[in-house]
Amino acid sequence: MVGSSHEALHRIFQKDPALLTRALQRVLHVPFPEPHEIAALNVDLTEIEPVERRVDTLLRAETDEGTYLLVVESQGKVDDRKRGSWPYYLSYLYEKYRCEPVLIVITQNSATARWAAQPIRLGFPGWHSLTVRPLVLGPDNVPVITDERQAEQDVPLAVLSAMTHGRGPQAAPILESLATALKTIDPDSAAVFVQFVDSCLADPQAKQMWRDLMTAIQYFWRHPLAEQVREEGREQGWIQAKAETVLQVLEWRGIPVPDDVRERVTACTDRNKVEVWAQRAVHAADAADLFTEE
């Protein structure tokens, strides 16, 4: 079962697909052509019913130089099974779409990044039938953004910086600059980014700092519920704002929210329950998945 940080690390590119090509160009210095259209594709690569294969995020980028498939894999630790699954993904996608696939791996761990960057060579030594060279985004190359102005210029990249470096010693200035930058974008997008960052902060001190920052500026600051927090009490207002965030995350991810799900979420008065729903909303495949095991 994947963790919420796993989901957030790749789903930020679903929220802002152009961030991925900017990362290729600016971080990895790959001369990827400027796309004029990017679309999300079905991530399911299953061919035979008992064998399920699914990439994390799959985007189609239309450029003047051709169409590319951007395959994003979130990797938490070394997993040598990927030596078989990653080449399979690329071969299958090329056969299905007849577009050039590009594998991008994102991780919060430097050792995992070094492992993932190693070429995968299949076949006879010295005469390999297939070679896969992943492009890797990790702590060693994603920029550390601690300047407020720089964060405001590219908020999604600042979010990626916080998600990638949230465990490091520079977490505090990164989170502080991002908190300020979030005030400059629309509140719905900010709420989604806040959830992504919160999901990726494994360090308890960094997570608490982030939540304190968000409480101080009320990341639902421009939401009508902010007034309700002040008038009816911080606890109930927080719960209702969190419930709205759950629905916003689902809607931003393009997942339909039936009326019965919306009513159940907005009517909830249990703080722990909406916390669980908020975490599940980041990786749920269907709105009903919020209520798994309930």
Side-chain angles (χ1 to χ4, degrees), residues 6 20 49 76 84 98 109 154 162 178 195 201 207 240 278:
H6 172 101
L20 185 55
E49 189 64 28
R98 290 295 170 174
N109 184 277
D154 194 337
L178 175 58
Q195 185 66 41
L201 294 176
K207 184 182 284 286
Q240 293 186 27

Side-chain angles (χ1 to χ4, degrees), residues 24-95:
L24 291 178
Q25 296 163 352
R26 302 177 191 177
V27 178
L28 299 179
H29 306 293
V30 174
F32 192 85
E34 194 68 31
H36 46 74
E37 181 181 350
I38 301 180
L41 300 178
N42 191 330
V43 298
D44 195 342
L45 309 184
T46 305
E47 287 187 288
I48 303 174
E49 189 64 28
V51 180
E52 180 178 341
R53 296 183 184 269
R54 191 180 299 270
V55 298
D56 288 333
T57 286
L58 179 61
L59 303 171
R60 181 175 58 205
E62 302 285 352
T63 77
D64 291 336
E65 299 180 20
T67 301
Y68 295 89
L69 298 176
L70 304 178
V71 185
V72 185
E73 284 283 283
S74 174
Q75 195 65 31
K77 60 183 180 180
V78 173
D79 183 357
D80 286 330
R81 292 176 300 177
K82 297 297 183 179
R83 288 181 55 83
S85 58
W86 284 345
Y88 169 85
Y89 294 164
L90 301 182
S91 299
Y92 176 84
L93 288 168
Y94 178 78
E95 178 63 23

Side-chain angles (χ1 to χ4, degrees), residues 2 6 13 81 128 143 153 166 238 266 269:
V2 296
H6 172 101
F13 299 116
R81 292 176 300 177
H128 300 102
Q153 290 173 357
W238 184 94
T266 56
T269 58

Side-chain angles (χ1 to χ4, degrees), residues 161-175:
S161 177
M163 293 165 63
T164 307
H165 298 284
R167 300 179 180 180
Q170 300 193 73
I174 292 173
L175 297 177

